[in-house]
Amino acid sequence: MTAMNYARTPAGQVGQLVRAPKTSELIAAQLRRQIVRGVVKPGEKLPPETQLMEQFGVSRPTIREAFRILETERLIAVRPGSRGGAQVVVPDLTVATRYVGLLLQLQGTTIDDVYEARMIAEPACAGLLARRRTEQDLADLAAVVAEIESVIESAIESAAGTTAAGTTDGRAPDPALWSRLTHRFHELIMQRSGNQTLALQGAVLHDIVATHTELRVSRSFDRAESPERFRRAVKAYKKLVTLIEARDADGATRLWRSHMDSAGTYLLKDDLRDKPVVELFT
């Protein structure tokens, strides 16, 4: 029978019953701490089952249950056989991304809600990046901007070749490519800000933001004005890189807040604004 403990409220009153952790959970917690602290590094193996059984004074099924817990968390990969065992793996960000995305979907979170969070975090990251940037950061940002600009100009040149045929197809970049490249620029701002918490926040929202941007661009952009719209975006990117290079943190924060506010007006101007996140993936 599972042991039960009583929890007490701040007033000292007996509260509801709280389940005591199972032995396998306690063992998993101890092994998890070793992994997180780097005692056992990615690529290395945890001690063999027999050694852990002796160490903790438990049976083989208990050790295997602890392994299953860590395997579910994607901290280890268990391979059978004499040369197998529990090997520590590199943490996979997609696990957190998938889980957070699922929570947002289950809670009925809207695209507007997600964008509001980015409006708070990303301009702050632009300012942090301006203070802490390296030459490599500048080079990586400039490379993405150059690629985006090349994609826009190629699309416009392609359109020029079809004008005589009476069509304007191709005047805007491919939505998937545009979304991937522009989101890469936004990712760099958060990843290189020097704040790991904010960088992780941006990463877990990647699929939601990228999917929404691609959908918005592909379904309702104005073909007649699309070249200028996309060029204005690139102009803002270039100006931000200049401010970051000059280490103008306040200027970078203001510019990026203004740019995201303008972009939000476009991205959220129709029914997509109140669309639940879950509908993006159905």
Side-chain angles (χ1 to χ4, degrees):
M1 180 180 296
T2 303
M4 305 296 287
N5 293 330
Y6 285 97
R8 292 184 178 275
T9 65
Q13 297 177 339
V14 176
Q16 73 179 78
L17 291 172
V18 177
R19 181 182 68 82
K22 296 168 62 176
T23 302
S24 59
E25 294 171 342
L26 294 173
I27 294 173
Q30 185 165 330
L31 295 174
R32 186 186 301 112
R33 282 194 294 273
Q34 293 183 23
I35 295 171
V36 171
R37 291 173 179 172
V39 177
V40 187
K41 297 178 172 56
E44 298 178 350
K45 291 183 179 179
L46 294 177
E49 290 181 358
T50 52
Q51 183 177 331
L52 291 174
M53 289 163 57
E54 182 178 350
Q55 177 183 338
F56 292 109
V58 297
S59 64
R60 190 181 300 274
T62 300
I63 295 298
R64 289 185 174 178
E65 186 175 352
F67 281 177
R68 279 194 293 272
I69 293 172
L70 297 176
E71 199 169 23
T72 300
E73 296 172 350
R74 302 290 182 89
L75 291 175
I76 65 172
V78 179
R79 295 178 175 82
S82 58
R83 297 185 179 180
Q87 185 177 47
V88 177
V89 299
V90 177
D92 187 354
L93 185 60
T94 60
V95 177
T97 300
R98 190 178 304 114
Y99 186 70
V100 172
L102 178 61
L103 287 178
L104 291 174
Q105 293 176 47
L106 290 173
Q107 293 172 2
T109 306
T110 63
I111 297 300
D112 187 42
D113 189 273
V114 172
Y115 201 85
E116 183 179 49
R118 291 184 65 221
M119 280 284 294
I120 295 171
E122 207 169 306
C125 285
L128 290 173
L129 176 56
R131 292 191 184 98
R132 302 167 175 173
R133 59 85 174 163
T134 64
E135 292 301 317
Q136 187 61 55
D137 294 333
L138 293 174
D140 292 343
L141 287 166
V144 176
V145 173
E147 191 172 359
I148 293 172
E149 191 168 30
S150 175
V151 167
I152 294 172
E153 297 309 316
S154 294
I156 294 174
E157 290 175 6
S158 175
T162 62
T163 302
T167 178
T168 57
D169 287 347
R171 293 193 63 178
D174 173 77
L177 182 57
W178 167 264
S179 300
R180 178 176 64 79
L181 291 175
T182 56
H183 195 69
R184 175 59 181 154
F185 188 83
H186 285 264
E187 273 189 316
L188 281 173
I189 292 172
M190 300 195 76
Q191 289 173 356
R192 305 296 176 84
S193 69
N195 187 291
Q196 296 182 357
T197 304
L198 289 172
L200 181 60
Q201 174 190 320
V204 298
L205 295 177
H206 170 87
D207 286 346
I208 295 172
V209 175
T211 302
H212 166 249
T213 302
E214 181 179 343
L215 177 62
R216 177 68 184 86
V217 172
S218 65
R219 87 175 197 174
S220 55
F221 65 81
D222 185 341
R223 291 183 183 275
E225 66 173 358
S226 58
E228 183 55 33
R229 178 182 297 282
F230 292 116
R231 280 171 166 161
R232 283 199 301 269
V234 172
K235 185 177 180 180
Y237 297 163
K238 288 182 174 180
K239 187 172 182 180
L240 179 66
V241 174
T242 299
L243 292 170
I244 291 173
E245 183 175 16
R247 299 189 187 278
D248 185 348
D250 291 339
T253 300
R254 286 194 301 270
L255 171 69
W256 209 238
R257 183 178 295 116
S258 174
H259 169 74
M260 292 194 68
D261 183 62
S262 176
T265 301
Y266 169 70
L267 292 171
L268 303 171
K269 71 180 182 180
D270 56 15
D271 63 300
L272 288 179
R273 183 183 194 92
D274 298 317
K275 181 182 285 293
V277 170
V278 66
E279 292 187 21
L280 289 178
F281 301 96
T282 57

